[in-house]
Amino acid sequence: MKEDTRSHPFRDSHQDARAAEAVPDTPQTRAPAYRLSFLDTDFLMREELRPVRLQLELLKPQMVLDERGVKSTVVLMGSARIPEPGQTGKAEGLAQWYEEARKLARLVTERSLKTYGREDVVVTGGGPGIMEAGNRGAHEAGGHSIGLNIVLPHEQAPNSYVTPDLCFNFHYFAIRKMHFLMRAKAICIFPGGFGTLDEMFESLTLIQTRRMKRVPFILFGRAFWEKIVNWQALVEAGTIAAEDLDLLSFVETAEEAMAIIDGWDYSCD
């Protein structure tokens, strides 16, 4: 985050942070109570400060993306377990989708470059599998891409294709989900597990309930999705309306997805 260099009559936080480090070492200056509140990690992590942490986690990526001029994104979601074709993995039978995600990201980014990387920027969860494929395709096209990582109990690191200064890390799943959708121009869902299903249905619910503007909602691999979700059964049970199924588009290739995005009338809600 760049330092605020606007002219104002007061000393700024950077100046006082440096001054606080230069004070004499005494029992008083070593006491936790003496620390500047915004430099006191123990204080910021207190239970009572959760609202502040939520706000900070919302603001930091928002401000960085605003500074980079990012206006719209294309979201790629899918399993972290799907490997690159030719590699072994738990979901190697789905490896074809790695290549389609990679291709889609490349096509999207080639177009994004025409806007100097301000529009249609690829955003993924920043991890392996389909997420890696998305960031990789953007990197191969010569553009930048966003990674929205999340701290998990087991070790996870960002994939090496995320643009470093657009690689974020989250504590709160809810705020991470907001950032997936706040600039979304299209949502592309590849085969995945619990995490993918969670993000898919939450996004779909926001669109269905008109809490979010309708955008292309594209599912890759009709056979996969119709096997794990009986969409028609939801209609027959009366838990969704028949027209709710029109919110979904099924595709098999990156080119089909691009055709849907290109043909979308974004002036209509």
Side-chain angles (χ1 to χ4, degrees):
M1 190 76 66
K2 64 182 181 181
E3 182 173 342
D4 188 351
T5 57
R6 292 173 296 181
S7 176
H8 50 70
F10 305 109
R11 284 174 60 85
D12 65 32
S13 56
H14 297 275
Q15 291 173 305
D16 277 357
R18 289 190 291 268
E21 294 176 352
V23 297
D25 182 20
T26 69
Q28 289 76 23
T29 62
R30 288 195 298 271
Y34 186 78
R35 298 174 195 155
L36 287 169
S37 59
F38 58 85
L39 296 179
D40 189 342
T41 304
D42 291 333
F43 172 69
L44 288 173
M45 290 194 294
R46 287 178 57 145
E47 180 74 16
E48 300 92 330
L49 270 289
R50 178 176 287 124
V52 175
R53 294 196 300 273
L54 283 161
Q55 184 177 22
L56 290 173
E57 197 151 282
L58 178 65
L59 275 173
K60 182 179 177 180
Q62 179 78 10
M63 292 171 67
V64 172
L65 293 173
D66 283 347
E67 289 168 2
R68 287 291 294 265
V70 176
K71 295 180 179 179
S72 64
T73 59
V74 174
V75 180
L76 272 67
M77 297 177 177
S79 176
R81 302 185 181 194
I82 295 178
E84 179 181 3
Q87 302 295 317
T88 58
K90 296 179 181 179
E92 59 187 276
L94 297 171
Q96 71 186 86
W97 301 116
Y98 183 104
E99 279 305 304
E100 289 303 321
R102 182 178 174 184
K103 185 191 300 182
L104 176 64
R106 186 169 64 247
L107 293 172
V108 168
T109 304
E110 286 170 354
R111 187 169 62 188
S112 176
L113 289 170
K114 297 176 182 178
T115 69
Y116 301 98
R118 294 187 178 93
E119 298 179 16
D120 298 353
V121 179
V122 167
V123 56
T124 80
I130 292 296
M131 296 174 280
E132 176 189 280
N135 296 119
R136 182 176 180 178
H139 176 78
E140 290 169 343
H144 56 244
S145 66
I146 302 164
L148 305 179
N149 289 83
I150 186 81
V151 178
L152 298 173
H154 53 81
E155 183 179 352
Q156 176 180 303
N159 70 68
S160 61
Y161 300 104
V162 181
T163 301
D165 61 347
L166 295 177
C167 186
F168 303 100
N169 200 16
F170 290 85
H171 172 66
Y172 296 106
F173 266 103
I175 302 299
R176 179 179 182 247
K177 289 176 180 178
M178 285 187 67
H179 279 292
F180 266 123
L181 301 179
M182 286 171 69
R183 290 172 166 81
K185 186 176 178 179
I187 301 170
C188 303
I189 312 287
F190 291 81
F194 288 166
T196 303
L197 289 166
D198 172 45
E199 291 160 347
M200 178 183 76
F201 279 116
E202 183 152 359
S203 305
L204 196 54
T205 300
L206 288 170
I207 295 172
Q208 181 207 39
T209 57
R210 296 184 178 271
R211 297 292 298 181
M212 175 181 171
K213 183 179 177 66
R214 187 178 175 187
V215 297
F217 199 96
I218 302 168
L219 275 61
F220 277 74
R222 179 186 286 271
F224 175 86
W225 290 111
E226 290 189 342
K227 183 177 181 180
I228 65 168
V229 182
N230 192 333
W231 307 95
Q232 192 58 42
L234 295 173
V235 175
E236 293 170 1
T239 55
I240 65 172
E243 56 267 27
D244 288 336
L245 296 184
D246 295 336
L247 301 176
L248 307 170
S249 297
F250 293 95
V251 302
E252 305 300 322
T253 67
E255 290 82 2
E256 289 179 277
M258 290 298 293
I260 292 171
I261 296 170
D262 288 341
W264 195 263
D265 184 0
Y266 287 94
S267 66
C268 296
D269 186 1

